[in-house]
C-alpha cells in the first residue's frame, strides 16, 4: 500500500504518523511545499514576539526525524501541482530546481490547509504588507521587525482582529511597536458576540493598542521615502505603517481538489464523509480545507483549528487501514491569549445560533476565577447560550484571565454530552480555594439559567435599557450608594439591597421594577424579595458592568455602524 | 413557615439564603455553635500560613450581614442540644451564659458537619496537639505558630496526609517550620492510588517535608521543659513537636440526629433521600454529616467536600419550598494545592473500584500542560480508570502543576455524562499554545485507552516488572543511550527507537518483548513497529518514569509494610 500525503503540517503529519503506527509495511510519502514539516504553526506569532526565542522550538520535527522514527519519505519544498484520479498519480514540482515528476498512490490524503485571504486592493502588493502562515513568513516578518525596532521605526498596523490579528498585535507590542488594530465590523474575535467583545476592546485599549472599529481598508499607498506604507480607510483616514500584517481571515486552499473534480462545499472547501473520504474513495482530505458539520447546529461549517485537524488526520489514517472510526463533528472550541487576557468560546454564539435559526436565550454571569478570600482571584465574564425550551446548552463565551480556559473546556465537554442547564447545576467539579469556588462558574451559569427557566426571575438585557429609560420605566439600582455615585443607568433610583426591605415604600408597587446591581447577583436577590412581596420585576442580565462596558465601547468610537447600545450584525 | 437550621457554614448557610430567595415570608433561624457563620472553612490553613493575611477575609459574612441581606435570624455561639420530633422543637443552649431555651420549627435542617477524628491515645490531651476545623481553632493555632516562630521553636508534626494534613504541612513550612508529616499507610492522599501518590511523596521530600510513611502513632509524651510534645511511633521512634496537628480524618457529627432516632447509615451518618429529607419528613440534613450514593459506584459513601454540601443546601431549601429538585449523586471530585503541585481526582480510584467490585483497567499517560514550544509547560501524570468492556471512564487522578485542575474538571464532566474512552478522543477542547496541545491530555488518555481496547497494543505495569526481570523476560528500553545510562530497568537492553528498524536482529523474535521508554509514547510506537513485523510485544504503562518513581519511593523508606514495587492496600 502506498499513501501520498499532500501537506505535512497538523492533519497531514498526524495522518502520516498514525498510518505508520497502523501499518509498518505501507509506503508513505509526504509532499510539503514549504521547507518545514509538522511545525508549530500556532506558535509562529510568539516567535516574532520573542516569547519563543529558540527557532528550533518551531520545528521540532524534521524530514530526517520523521524518516528515522516513522520510515516516512518526507519531501519538503515540493509542490503537488495536479492529481490524475484515473491514473492515481500526483504531479509534483521540485521548487528548488523546477523539476516535475509523477508519484503514484493507492490512497491520497489532501492536507493543504487554508491560505490567508488577500483582497484585491490598490497597493496590496507592497512589500511592507505581510501575511503569516508559514515558518518562512515568520522568519521574514521577524527579520523585518528586528530591523525596524533597531531603526526605531515602530509603527505597526494589524488588519483584522481575529486569532492571528490579536496574537500579532500582542507580539508586536511586546517588541515595542505602537500597534494600530483595524477591524472592519463592530467587534474583534468572530467567536464572540458583540457584547462580550466589548470587554476585549476595553482591555486592548488599556494595553495601548490603538483599536479602530468599523474601519474599512480601501487600499494602500507606499511612502518609500519613509519606508512606510499608508493604510487607507474608507473614512478618508490614512495610517502609516512600517509593518502591516494582513490577518482578515483564511480560505480553504483547494485548487488541486477543484481541478481534480472533487466535490466542493462552502467557500470551495472539500466535501468529505465521516471517515474524511472525498467524493473519490481513494482520496481523503483533512484540516482547514475540508467542510465539516457543526456539532451543535448540524450545519455545514469551516473550522480552521488545529485540534480538529489532528483528529481528522487520525481518522483518515484509520479509514485507510480499514478501521472504521468516524470524525466527531467539531464545535468550534477555541481559546486565545492576548496579553494577560484569555478569550474563549465553544459551541454557537448568539449570532451563529440566530443564523442557524435555533431558538436561543442567553445568560450573563460574572464569577471569580477562584475563592475571593484566596489571593489572586480575578473575575471572568460568562455568556451562556441555551435552548429556552429544553435548557440544552448551545454555546458559551468567556472573557477573563486565570481559569477561563478551564471553564470553556468544561462547557465544551458538557455541550458534547448534550447537557442542559440543570446538568450544569449538578456538575461535581473539583474545588479548593486556589482553583475555584464551591459553586464553580459553570455551576453558577446553570443556577442562573434554571432560575430563569423555572420562572423564579425574569431578565432584561443591556440592549433593552435605553428604551426602558426613554419610556420612563421604574429602574432600581440596588448597589451601594458609592457604587451608584460612580456611574449608573440614567433614570434609575438607588436603594441598596440591604436597605430594600425597609425602603420598599419608595417603589411604586403598581408598576414593573427593572432591577440592576453590578453583575446581576444582588439584583437577583432583590427580585426574589420583591416578587415575594407582590412586585412584578425583572433583573438586568450582566448588570451595570455589562451595560456600562457596551455603552463605553459604543461611545469610544461612535459612528453609524455601531450606534450606542445596539449592535449591528 | 418556620425553618430552623442547625449549623451556619457551607450547606446550612446556602440553605438559609436559598430559602429566603424562595420564600420572602418564612421565618428562618440559624443556630451556630461557633462564633462565625458562612466562613471560609477551606481557607483556614492559608490564614495560618499567612497566604491569607486579612482575618476579615475568612469571615466575609456575619450574623449582621445575613440579617440585613436575607432577614435571617442568625444566632452564633448557641448549640442545639436536643431535638423533640413529636413537639417539633429544638432545645438550644447559649454557650455564653449556659442558658437553655426551646425553638419550634416546621422544618429543621441539620448541617452539623463532621468533626476531626481524635483517637484515644495516651497523652492525646496535650495542649500542643491541635485539630483544625473552626475559625476559633485557626486563630488559636495561628497564635501559637506566631509565638513559636518568634521563639525560634519550629518543630512541627502533622499527623495525617489527607487534604488538611498536606495543606497544613505546606502552610507551616511557609511559616518557617520544619515539618514532619506522619502517615499511617503507605501513601498520602486517600483520593490517589499508591502509584500516583509516590510522585507526591517525592515532591514533598524535595520541598523539605520530612515524610514518614507507615508511621503508626501510638501516643504522645509531654516534654514540658522544652514546651514540646513527643509523638510516639509504633516503631519506637519519638518525634519532638512544638506544634502537632492531628489531621487523620473526619467523622459525621451526628449525635443529635442519633439521639433523635433518625435513621443512620455508614459511620453514623444521616440517611437522606434525594431531596435531603431524613427519615423524619420534617427534618432535612445536608453536608458532611449525610450519607450519599457515589455517582460512579452507586455505593453508599461519605463525601466531606464543600461543593456537594452547597448543592445539598440548595436542594433541601427547594424541597421545603415545594420545588422537587433531586441532589445529584456526587463523584468525589477534588483538587489540592501543596506548594506548587496540584493533586486532583474524580470518580473512583483503582482501590475504590476494586472495593466496589467493579471491573476496572487503568491507563497512565504523561502530558505537558501546554504546547512544549511555548514557555512554561510542565508535565502532568494522569491515571485513568475505565471499564475494560464498555470503555466507560470510572475515575481519573492527576498529579502535576499548571492545568491539572482543568483536566480533572473535564474528566469530572465526562464521567458525569457517562462518557467512554472513545468519547474522550472526540472531545473538542479549546487549544492555543499557552493553554494546551492540539491533542489535550484528556484526548490523549482516550487515545491510549482506545488503542488498548482495540488491541493495537498490550500493556504491562510497574508492579509486573520485577517478576519479568526475575523470569529473565526480554525487556527492551527504546530511550536514548543517554537516558538509559542515567537509570534503567534491570535486565533491559537498550535500542533507541530511531535505531530499532535497523537493529531488529538483536531481538529474539520467538519471545515476547516487553518495551519501555520514558513515559510510554515512544515505546508504544516501538510496539506498533514490532507488532507490524510479527513480534508479540507489550508496552510498560507509564514507562520508566512511573516505575522509577514507585521504586524510589519504596526504596526511600523500605520496610515490610511497603516492599519494593508492590503496594500494600
Amino acid at each position: 500500500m502506498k499513501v501520498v500525503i499532500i501537506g505535512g503540517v497538523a492533519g497531514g503529519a498526524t495522518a502520516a504518523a498514525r498510518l505508520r503506527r497502523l501499518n509498518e509495511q505501507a509506503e508513505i510519502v509526504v509532499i510539503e511545499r514549504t521547507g518545514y514539516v509538522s511545525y508549530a504553526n500556532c506558535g509562529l506569532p510568539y516567535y516574532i514576539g520573542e516569547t519563543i526565542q529558540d527557532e528550533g522550538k518551531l520545528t521540532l520535527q524534521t524530514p530526517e526525524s520523521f524518516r528515522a522514527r516513522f520510515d516516512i519519505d518526507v519531501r519538503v519544498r515540493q509542490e503537488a501541482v495536479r492529481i490524475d484520479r484515473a491514473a492515481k498519480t500526483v504531479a509534483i514540482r521540485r521548487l528548488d530546481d523546477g523539476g516535475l515528476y509523477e508519484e503514484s498512490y493507492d490512497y491520497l490524503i489532501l492536507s493543504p490547509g487554508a491560505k490567508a485571504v488577500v483582497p484585491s486592493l490598490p497597493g496590496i502588493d507592497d512589500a511592507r504588507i505581510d501575511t503569516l502562515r508559514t515558518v518562512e513568513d515568520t522568519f521574514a516578518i521577524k527579520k523585518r521587525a528586528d530591523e525596524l525596532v533597531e531603526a526605531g521605526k515602530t509603527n505597526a498596523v494589524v488588519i483584522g482582529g481575529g486569532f492571528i490579528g490579536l496574537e500579532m498585535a500582542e507580539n508586536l507590542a511586546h517588541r515595542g511597536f505602537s500597534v494600530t488594530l483595524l477591524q472592519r465590523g463592530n467587534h474583534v474575535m468572530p467567536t464572540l458576540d458583540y457584547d462580550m467583545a466589548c470587554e476585549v476592546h476595553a482591555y486592548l485599549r488599556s494595553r495601548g493598542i490603538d483599536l479602530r472599529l468599523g474601519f474599512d481598508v480601501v487600499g494602500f499607498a507606499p511612502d518609500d521615502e519613509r519606508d512606510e506604507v499608508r493604510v487607507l480607510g474608507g473614512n478618508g483616514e490614512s495610517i502609516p505603517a512600517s509593518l502591516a500584517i494582513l490577518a482578515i481571515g483564511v480560505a480553504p486552499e483547494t485548487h488541486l481538489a477543484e481541478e481534480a473534480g472533487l466535490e466542493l462545499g462552502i467557500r470551495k472547501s472539500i466535501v468529505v464523509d465521516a471517515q474524511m473520504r472525498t467524493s473519490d474513495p481513494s482520496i481523503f482530505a483533512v484540516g482547514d480545507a475540508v467542510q465539516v458539520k457543526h456539532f451543535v447546529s448540524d450545519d455545514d461549517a469551516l473550522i480552521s483549528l488545529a485540534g480538529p485537524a489532528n483528529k481528522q488526520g487520525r481518522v483518515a489514517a484509520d479509514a485507510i487501514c480499514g478501521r472504521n472510526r468516524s470524525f466527531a463533528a467539531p464545535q468550534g472550541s477555541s481559546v486565545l491569549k492576548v496579553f494577560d487576557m484569555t478569550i474563549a468560546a465553544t459551541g454557537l454564539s448568539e449570532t451563529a445560533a440566530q443564523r442557524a435559526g435555533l431558538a436561543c436565550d442567553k445568560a450573563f454571569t460574572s464569577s471569580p476565577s477562584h475563592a475571593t478570600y484566596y489571593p489572586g482571584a480575578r473575575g471572568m465574564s460568562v455568556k451562556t447560550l441555551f435552548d429556552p425550551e429544553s435548557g440544552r446548552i448551545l454555546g458559551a463565551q468567556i472573557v477573563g484571565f486565570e481559569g477561563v480556559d478551564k471553564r470553556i473546556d468544561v462547557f465544551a465537554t458538557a455541550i458534547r454530552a448534550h447537557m442542559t442547564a440543570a446538568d450544569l447545576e449538578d456538575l461535581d467539579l473539583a474545588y479548593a480555594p486556589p482553583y475555584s469556588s464551591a459553586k464553580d462558574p459553570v455551576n453558577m451559569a446553570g443556577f442562573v439559567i434554571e432560575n430563569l427557566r423555572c420562572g423564579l426571575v425574569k431578565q432584561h438585557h443591556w440592549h433593552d435599557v435605553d428604551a426602558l429609560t426613554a419610556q420612563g420605566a421604574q429602574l432600581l439600582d440596588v448597589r451601594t450608594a458609592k457604587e451608584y455615585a460612580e456611574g449608573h443607568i440614567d433614570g434609575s433610583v438607588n436603594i441598596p439591597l440591604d436597605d430594600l426591605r425597609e425602603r420598599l415604600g419608595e417603589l411604586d408597587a403598581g408598576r414593573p421594577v427593572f432591577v440592576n446591581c453590578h453583575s446581576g447577583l444582588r439584583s437577583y436577590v432583590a427580585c426574589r424579595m420583591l416578587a415575594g412581596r407582590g412586585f412584578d420585576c425583572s433583573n438586568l442580565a450582566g448588570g451595570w458592568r455589562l451595560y456600562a462596558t457596551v455603552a463605553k465601547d459604543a461611545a469610544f468610537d461612535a459612528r453609524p455602524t455601531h450606534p450606542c447600545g445596539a449592535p449591528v450584525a
Side-chain angles (χ1 to χ4, degrees), chain A residues 363-372 377-384 393 396-411 421 424-427 429-449:
Chain A
F364 294 94
T365 45
S366 181
S367 298
S369 53
H370 62 249
T372 50
R378 297 191 71 172
M380 66 178 76
S381 303
V382 183
K383 179 175 183 177
T384 310
I393 305 302
Q397 297 159 52
I398 315 183
V399 173
F401 301 88
E402 176 201 288
V404 166
D405 60 319
K406 171 161 77 174
R407 276 57 181 227
I408 213 67
D409 276 359
V410 173
F411 271 112
L424 296 191
E425 296 187 287
D426 290 344
L427 284 179
L429 302 170
Y431 160 60
Y435 304 101
S436 185
S437 301
K439 292 162 185 159
D440 187 86
V442 181
N443 295 137
M444 285 302 300
F447 292 143
V448 167
I449 295 171

Side-chain angles (χ1 to χ4, degrees), chain A residues 120-349:
Chain A
S120 304
L121 289 176
I124 189 76
D125 292 330
D126 192 290
R128 288 155 292 218
I129 306 170
D130 285 304
T131 59
L132 175 64
R133 182 185 172 198
T134 65
V135 175
E136 285 87 346
D137 297 340
T138 307
F139 290 159
I141 296 171
K142 172 75 158 59
K143 182 161 174 288
R144 179 156 174 84
D146 291 348
E147 291 162 2
L148 290 170
V149 168
E150 182 79 16
K153 294 178 64 66
T154 53
N155 282 334
V157 172
V158 175
I159 304 165
F163 292 94
I164 299 285
L166 289 188
E167 287 176 348
M168 282 308 301
E170 173 190 351
N171 278 290
L172 291 172
H174 277 314
R175 297 298 308 279
F177 283 89
S178 300
V179 178
T180 303
L181 178 61
L182 307 180
Q183 174 69 44
R184 191 174 192 172
N186 68 349
H187 70 88
V188 301
M189 288 304 291
T191 53
L192 298 182
D193 291 313
Y194 169 70
D195 39 25
M196 293 298 283
C198 286
E199 192 165 340
V200 179
H201 299 166
Y203 178 75
L204 289 171
R205 288 167 175 142
S206 79
R207 296 302 298 247
I209 302 294
D210 181 8
L211 172 64
R212 311 285 186 92
L213 297 172
F215 192 103
D216 282 317
V217 176
V218 296
F220 302 87
D223 182 345
D224 289 331
E225 201 168 311
R226 292 168 170 272
D227 191 17
E228 286 180 349
V229 59
R230 298 191 77 86
V231 184
L232 309 176
N235 58 359
E237 270 192 283
S238 144
I239 301 173
S242 301
L243 180 64
I245 303 290
L246 191 65
I248 60 171
V250 295
E253 171 108 71
T254 55
H255 64 94
L256 262 191
E258 184 177 18
E259 287 154 21
L262 296 179
E263 186 186 346
L264 301 184
I266 48 177
R267 297 185 69 196
K268 295 199 174 177
S269 58
I270 305 174
V271 171
V272 291
D273 67 12
Q275 281 75 46
M276 311 311 296
R277 200 179 281 105
T278 68
S279 52
D280 180 330
S282 299
I283 305 181
F284 291 73
V286 301
D288 295 357
V290 306
Q291 173 176 290
V292 296
K293 288 276 180 205
H294 193 287
F295 179 76
V296 179
S297 68
D298 206 34
D299 285 343
D300 291 332
L302 296 181
I303 292 184
S304 299
L305 293 167
N310 277 280
K311 294 191 181 81
Q312 290 164 356
R314 265 178 92 85
V315 167
D318 279 16
I320 288 170
C321 296
R323 299 168 56 83
N324 210 30
R325 281 273 293 148
S326 290
F327 174 63
Q331 61 194 65
S333 303
S334 70
V335 61
L336 179 77
K337 175 178 132 27
V338 56
F339 299 102
D340 291 333
M341 181 175 258
T342 304
I343 303 164
T346 185
L348 299 179
S349 65

Side-chain angles (χ1 to χ4, degrees), chain A residues 500-565:
Chain A
L500 188 55
R501 283 189 183 83
E502 286 146 37
R503 293 175 58 186
L504 270 184
E506 297 174 31
L507 295 175
D508 178 352
R511 297 171 60 210
V513 190
F514 295 88
V515 190
N516 81 272
C517 66
H518 181 68
S519 66
L521 183 56
R522 280 173 290 173
S523 51
Y524 162 62
V525 174
C527 281
R528 289 303 309 155
M529 183 195 304
L530 291 170
R533 291 166 186 263
F535 283 79
D536 176 16
C537 50
S538 175
N539 186 17
L540 176 61
W544 164 255
R545 192 173 169 284
L546 176 61
Y547 173 82
T549 302
V550 177
K552 195 173 155 195
D553 186 76
F556 190 92
D557 194 16
R559 61 185 69 190
T561 47
H562 41 88
C564 178

